[in-house]
Structures are given as C-alpha cells and as structure tokens.
Amino acid sequence: MRKALVAGNWKMNGSLAANRELLSALSGAIHGSDAVAVAVCPPAVYLPDVVSQLQGKPISVGGQDCSDETAGAFTGEIAADMLKELGCEYVIVGHSERRARQQEDSAWVARKFIAAQSAGLVPILCVGEQLDDREAGRTEAVVAEQLDAVLDAAGVAAFDRAVVAYEPVWAIGTGLTASPEQAAEVHAFIRARVAGRDPRVADGLRILYGGSVKADNAPGLFSLPDIDGGLIGGASLDADSFIGIVNAAAAVQAQGNV
Ligand code: PEP
C-alpha cells in the first residue's frame, strides 16, 4: 500500500508568531504513523524557524518552489541545495500560481524537478487544467503535456522519488472541488500515463489531490483508489482543519483504501 501524504502549502501567509501557534497545535495532535506522512511548506523566509520548531516531530518541511539553477546571479531565487541545507525534505514545483504569475512553462518546471532531486529533495510536481481547458475537453491533453515534459526530461525512474499533485486550477482557493468522479478520472489517467512508461513506478507513485480540500470533503476524495492524500492550501492555515484532513487520510488508510 502506498503511504499517503498530506502536505500543507501555506503560500504567502504567516508570521513568526502565527506560525508558532499553528505548529504548536499541529505537533500536539499529529503523532506520526506508518500510514500517513505529513508536511508543511511555509514561505522560505520562515523555514529555519519552522524546521527548528518541528525538530523531532513527525512533520516534514518543504519549500514552495526552487530555482532550476544551482548558484549564481539569479536575484531572488532559492537553490534546491539551500532548501535541503535548511532541513527541507520536499519542494513543490510547477504550482499553478507560479505557472500563471511567473509564466513557468513545463520545460522550466521539469528543470526545477531535476534540480530538486539532484539536491536530494522530493519534488511535489503540480499538474492541472484551467476551467476553459476542462470545458473544452482538454483536461487530459493539458495534464499529459505537463507530465510528459517531466517524464521526458527526468526519466520515469525519477518518479520513484517524486510525488505528483493533481490540482484542477479552477478548484484552487475557490471553494469548488472536483467531484469524486472528476478527480478519480484524472488520477487514473496520470497513473496510466506513468504506467505506459513503467508499471512498477506507476504503482508506487503517490498522486495527491489539491483544490479546496477541507476536513469534510477529504474522506470522500481520499477513499478513491488513485488518490494518495492531498496538497492543501487554505485549510492548512487552520490547525483544526488541517488536523481533520490528516485524520481523514489516516482513517481511510486504516480501512485499506488509499
Ligand atoms: C493549493 O494551492 O495547492 C491548493 C490546493 O489551495 P486550496 O486548498 O486553498 O484550494
């Protein structure tokens, strides 16, 4: 059985005081399990404080982005090695907000994915369609293009040390969630696409769902066969909500469904 992952993407939110309060609530309630891994991805400036507060706790830390370069004249960028040195285990690459605002294309995201793995980080590769893509029946084509760019550049074996997050862009921060059928279809498509290159890698690959996941819709989503946890935005900033989502993943795992 694949170990589920619930990762919180704090985006550009938080403060030293608010983070400490949130982390103290999370560490009090999340005790670690063989079935569910938990991670938080704070803004980079808070990483040292967050890593130090989570020392010895069963909650990993991730970056929200990394450079595709290793060092040099890249003002404002953060190398994957730097995230690793600070204690990160994961890094999100290709989040739709960066694809849109920073115009990151799939080739660029693929280079970030490779840079992350070269530094020893586990990339969480985000893929997902816009609403107009879905309405035009282009969901699979868009997801295939985003996935294939990384499969071609990094090779399928690299997905042994990676996580994919399917995040329909129209469901991010909007309160809209993909229906279980919509999510299940795309998750199955992603797994089949990877299986086309290597069935063993596809079988072990964790594919998270992201897009307005909350404690009340998490059980339904996490029970679907190809959904192995979630990438959580807004609800990861609220301790009770995030703990509820982690508990939902654990409950589903206990039933042997994830
Ligand atoms: C995200 O940004 O990765 C995300 C899933 O956000 P939200 O949960 O707020 O929709």
Side-chain angles (χ1 to χ4, degrees):
M1 190 194 290
R2 293 179 290 270
K3 182 171 184 170
L5 170 64
V6 177
N9 173 13
W10 292 1
K11 310 192 187 192
M12 197 173 72
N13 291 296
S15 67
L16 287 171
N19 300 346
R20 284 177 195 155
E21 196 178 320
L22 175 57
L23 291 175
S24 123
L26 298 186
S27 347
I30 295 171
H31 303 294
S33 92
D34 291 340
V36 184
V38 179
V40 293
C41 303
V45 289
Y46 295 132
L47 283 169
D49 205 62
V50 168
V51 167
S52 133
Q53 206 182 328
L54 291 177
Q55 208 71 49
K57 311 279 185 200
I59 303 175
S60 301
V61 180
Q64 296 181 7
D65 176 49
C66 67
S67 178
D68 57 332
E69 299 286 350
T70 50
F74 304 102
T75 303
E77 295 195 30
I78 297 171
D81 277 325
M82 297 172 182
L83 297 176
K84 180 72 182 174
E85 186 182 19
L86 287 183
C88 287
E89 180 175 344
Y90 299 96
V91 62
I92 298 168
V93 295
H95 192 279
S96 60
E97 285 152 15
R98 296 197 60 86
R99 289 185 193 258
R101 284 180 63 88
Q102 277 73 30
Q103 278 98 48
E104 290 183 8
D105 62 13
S106 295
W108 190 359
V109 171
R111 292 196 301 276
K112 289 178 180 232
F113 179 103
I114 291 169
Q117 286 196 329
S118 304
L121 297 171
V122 174
I124 301 175
L125 168 67
C126 298
V127 298
E129 81 286 2
Q130 308 271 349
L131 186 55
D132 57 347
D133 294 321
R134 175 161 284 275
E135 288 174 348
R138 287 193 302 260
T139 297
E140 291 190 353
V142 168
V143 169
E145 186 275 330
Q146 293 171 340
L147 196 57
D148 288 355
V150 183
L151 284 164
D152 291 345
V156 66
F159 283 71
D160 269 335
R161 292 168 291 121
V163 174
V164 173
Y166 168 57
E167 301 206 306
V169 180
W170 48 272
I172 294 182
T174 58
L176 299 173
T177 315
S179 68
E181 296 72 31
Q182 289 171 322
E185 241 175 57
V186 183
H187 279 247
F189 172 77
I190 292 170
R191 200 174 303 286
R193 192 95 186 161
V194 177
R197 307 221 183 186
D198 188 327
R200 182 198 57 78
V201 173
D203 194 45
L205 178 64
R206 283 184 290 180
I207 308 176
L208 313 185
Y209 173 79
S212 299
V213 177
K214 309 272 181 272
D216 58 355
N217 60 19
L221 289 161
F222 295 168
S223 310
L224 298 167
D226 283 305
I227 298 191
D228 308 307
L231 182 55
I232 318 300
S236 71
L237 298 169
D238 178 83
D240 289 343
S241 300
F242 192 64
I243 291 162
I245 294 168
V246 171
N247 289 342
V252 170
Q253 287 288 66
Q255 292 158 12
N257 287 337
V258 171

